[in-house]
Amino acid sequence: MTVTATPVDEPEQLEPQAAPVSRVSRWARRLLPAAAAALCGVLLYVSFPPRTLWWLALPAFAGFGWVLRGRSWKAGLGLGYLFGLGFLLPLLVWTGVEVGPGPWLALVAIEAVFVALVGAGTAVVSKLPGRPLWAAALWAAGEAARARAPFNGFPWGKIAFGQADGVFLPLAALGGTPVLGFAVVLCGYGLFESVRLIVEARRTGAALRRGTAAVAALSVAVPVAGALASRGLVSDRAEDGTATVAVIQGNVPRLGLDFNAQRRAVLDYHAKETERLAAEVKAGKVERPDFVLWPENSSDIDPFANDDARAVIEHAATAIGAPISVGGVVERDGKLYNEQILWDPEKGPTDTYDKRQIQPFGEYLPLRSLIGAINDQWTSMVRKDFSRGTEPGVFTMDGARIGLVTCYEAAFDWAVRSEVTDGAQLISVPSNNATFDRSEMTYQQLAMSRVRAVEHSRTVTVPVTSGVSAIIMPDGRITQRTGMFVADSLVQKVPLRSSETPATKVGVLPEMLLVLVAAGGLGWAIGAGVRGRRAGGV
């Protein structure tokens, strides 16, 4: 009896130990891709400013390609959403600095849907030959959609904007932000494909297939070679002489949404800094500027409706003896405009530019009644909607043609290009970052301006109310910059240029071609899948 009882008991002891191991293994297989997708998104975020780790975008997309390879479109949708959350949640945290987490989380939840759709498409094309090409084109198509919808788009976080310090930057002059971003993503996917083929060959002992290996190698080599070849398009040589520009950062009395609650305080700060600079010019310490650039909202009250504000601006212009581009909030015919005003020291206001790409939920409130029903505090933050301008803004200041791109507009390809094609020899990006505290937002926007400088081969100035203000050469170099929340001024002789880069000339064409490539890849993959199912059914 004792001898026969032993084999009966052994299975009862082994089964409970084997079952948990099996369950853990299954859960690990399910959770690993999800965790990897989210971590790759975080890695992509870390590649963005204020860090200079631009190269981390390559392993981020290599990892994303690994996660999506061979998956179903449904799995790709979920993994893409997690990648989007990992990237956009930390990238856009500044949107909730003053208004709380609600708007930030809502924005990220919506924007991550675009990344999810790209993930679904990438999973579908991952079974095709030449998969890095189709996948990178799909990312470019996703960015094109995100720049246009909803509410006229939100292109913040385009891959190109994380590459201001990278070797791929010259590609911006070749084909703009779509080509620059496409090259980075293509290189990342190509890197994964190259590593995968090498590992697979070592594991199986099989020879590499020439066609597949060539595609993987070219996916890495072509973007790098293209970037090196495009360096010849980048120049800071003056074509139309030079101009001495002054960038004024007056600072604000307090941080946060109520930065301009104290009547005329912001205007006084900028006028005071301009007059301080005028005193240094008079003393021979600084060269007299040909023109002066103030930030967005540098006049916190309407100078056309308030004589005291008008007098302050006129006094500052007379003191410096040069025209000033003043940022103001102006009411005209019952409508509000975020406006740049060209103020001549002798003639007063002579020209204006009304911001065309206004910010949803910041300068106007879409779905006002619905949002008010959810939280009436949000509607009180935007009591009256701003109206859109309709024309490009190019001021002639002491003979130089200055293109105005107000703050949020710098994220939109068309808004910057329109100023250059309208004759701008220099681009100014007047901004107001006071509502975003000391967040990364100002550094992300500064990187955008660096990319735009190379894209259109123009000097770019960035006058900001509270920092970081900067002067950027046409090759993307920052030659001067201020600190944050300090009053300061930057004066420099800069090159004026009028030639157009290939990116300026072709405009939206590269982006549309990439969208067509993405559609072609999806069509091929879907058609192949349908044919395969039919053959299996027969």
Side-chain angles (χ1 to χ4, degrees):
M1 296 293 292
T2 305
V3 174
T4 57
T6 303
V8 175
D9 292 341
E10 284 180 352
E12 294 177 0
Q13 293 173 354
L14 292 173
E15 284 181 3
Q17 294 175 357
V21 173
S22 177
R23 284 196 295 270
V24 169
S25 178
R26 285 199 301 271
W27 275 106
R29 285 195 298 269
R30 292 175 182 176
L31 292 177
L32 179 60
L39 288 174
C40 286
V42 173
L43 193 63
L44 181 59
Y45 155 70
V46 175
S47 74
F48 271 66
R51 295 157 294 277
T52 57
L53 304 174
W54 58 270
W55 51 272
L56 285 179
L58 302 182
F61 279 102
F64 193 39
W66 168 71
V67 167
L68 294 175
R69 183 175 181 272
R71 302 277 178 184
S72 68
W73 72 267
K74 291 182 180 178
L77 190 73
L79 293 169
Y81 197 76
L82 289 172
F83 181 82
L85 291 179
F87 172 44
L88 295 171
L89 271 171
L91 185 80
L92 302 179
V93 68
W94 52 267
T95 60
V97 167
E98 293 295 336
V99 295
W104 162 51
L105 295 175
L107 173 64
V108 171
I110 293 169
E111 294 298 312
V113 170
F114 291 92
V115 184
L117 293 172
V118 170
T122 303
V124 171
V125 302
S126 69
K127 304 173 183 66
L128 293 178
R131 58 185 66 89
L133 172 66
W134 313 117
L138 276 166
W139 186 274
E143 287 192 340
R146 204 158 66 84
R148 292 165 174 81
F151 312 124
N152 295 300
F154 186 76
W156 212 280
K158 292 179 76 170
I159 299 304
F161 297 149
Q163 296 296 310
D165 292 292
V167 298
F168 297 101
L169 179 61
L171 287 168
L174 180 65
T177 60
V179 169
L180 172 54
F182 169 77
V184 173
V185 179
L186 177 63
C187 195
Y189 284 141
L191 184 64
F192 158 67
E193 194 67 13
S194 300
V195 172
R196 183 189 70 80
L197 290 172
I198 293 170
V199 170
E200 191 175 276
R202 287 184 176 179
R203 188 179 69 247
T204 62
L208 288 172
R209 287 175 292 179
R210 289 183 180 180
T212 305
V215 169
L218 288 172
S219 298
V220 176
V222 170
V224 174
L228 294 176
S230 298
R231 292 176 68 179
L233 300 173
V234 180
S235 173
D236 62 355
R237 181 176 58 86
E239 296 175 334
D240 305 304
T242 60
T244 301
V245 57
V247 170
I248 300 297
Q249 177 176 300
N251 204 8
V252 296
R254 62 179 69 87
L255 282 65
L257 289 175
D258 64 341
F259 74 96
N260 61 355
Q262 183 180 338
R263 175 179 168 83
R264 224 186 70 185
V266 179
L267 172 57
D268 285 344
Y269 278 31
H270 285 82
K272 181 179 178 181
E273 180 60 27
T274 304
E275 290 162 9
R276 186 195 67 79
L277 175 62
E280 289 196 340
V281 169
K282 187 175 182 180
K285 297 179 181 179
V286 180
E287 185 178 356
R288 182 178 297 279
D290 297 316
F291 50 87
V292 179
L293 302 171
W294 283 10
E296 175 189 32
N297 301 151
S298 47
S299 179
D300 51 352
I301 56 176
D302 185 349
F304 294 113
N306 295 272
D307 291 339
D308 58 339
R310 185 184 186 102
V312 168
I313 297 171
E314 287 181 343
H315 187 272
T318 301
I320 198 67
I324 303 176
S325 178
V326 178
V329 175
V330 173
E331 185 167 358
R332 186 169 56 250
D333 300 325
K335 297 180 179 179
L336 277 180
Y337 293 94
N338 187 335
E339 191 166 84
Q340 288 291 311
I341 308 163
L342 175 54
W343 210 287
D344 186 88
E346 297 178 357
K347 301 176 183 177
T350 60
D351 201 357
T352 60
Y353 166 63
D354 298 324
K355 187 176 181 180
R356 294 170 292 166
Q357 187 72 42
I358 57 176
Q359 183 181 351
F361 305 100
E363 293 172 306
Y364 79 100
L365 198 60
L367 311 174
R368 181 177 289 272
S369 58
L370 175 62
I371 291 172
I374 298 172
N375 189 331
D376 58 0
Q377 288 185 344
W378 294 346
T379 57
S380 66
M381 292 178 186
V382 188
R383 292 186 177 87
K384 186 174 182 178
D385 294 342
F386 280 78
S387 296
R388 302 174 186 276
T390 57
E391 300 293 332
V394 180
F395 289 169
T396 299
M397 305 180 74
D398 196 47
R401 301 272 289 167
I402 314 302
L404 284 306
V405 181
T406 306
C407 196
Y408 182 60
E409 292 182 318
F412 293 83
D413 295 346
W414 67 267
V416 184
R417 178 176 178 266
S418 67
E419 312 301 68
V420 178
T421 57
D422 202 47
Q425 299 167 304
L426 177 150
I427 299 169
S428 182
V429 185
S431 303
N432 174 22
N433 298 337
T435 55
F436 301 112
D437 205 343
R438 297 181 182 273
S439 69
E440 294 182 357
M441 181 269 185
T442 190
Y443 300 103
Q444 293 170 11
Q445 191 177 52
L446 186 60
M448 288 182 197
S449 296
R450 294 179 64 192
V451 173
R452 298 305 185 191
V454 173
E455 182 179 18
H456 299 290
S457 196
R458 295 291 187 272
T459 299
V460 175
T461 61
V462 187
V464 183
T465 51
S466 55
V468 175
S469 299
I471 296 176
I472 305 166
M473 290 293 99
D475 60 4
R477 290 179 299 117
I478 297 176
T479 53
Q480 290 193 63
R481 62 190 293 173
T482 69
M484 293 186 72
F485 293 99
V486 294
D488 204 352
S489 58
L490 308 174
V491 180
Q492 185 174 322
K493 183 176 290 186
V494 297
L496 300 176
R497 293 176 60 85
S498 57
S499 64
E500 293 187 352
T501 63
T504 307
K505 292 175 181 176
V506 298
V508 75
L509 183 60
E511 187 176 52
M512 294 300 99
L513 289 175
L514 289 171
V515 170
L516 289 175
V517 171
L522 271 179
W524 182 10
I526 293 170
V530 170
R531 289 191 296 272
R533 286 193 295 272
R534 287 176 178 172
V538 172

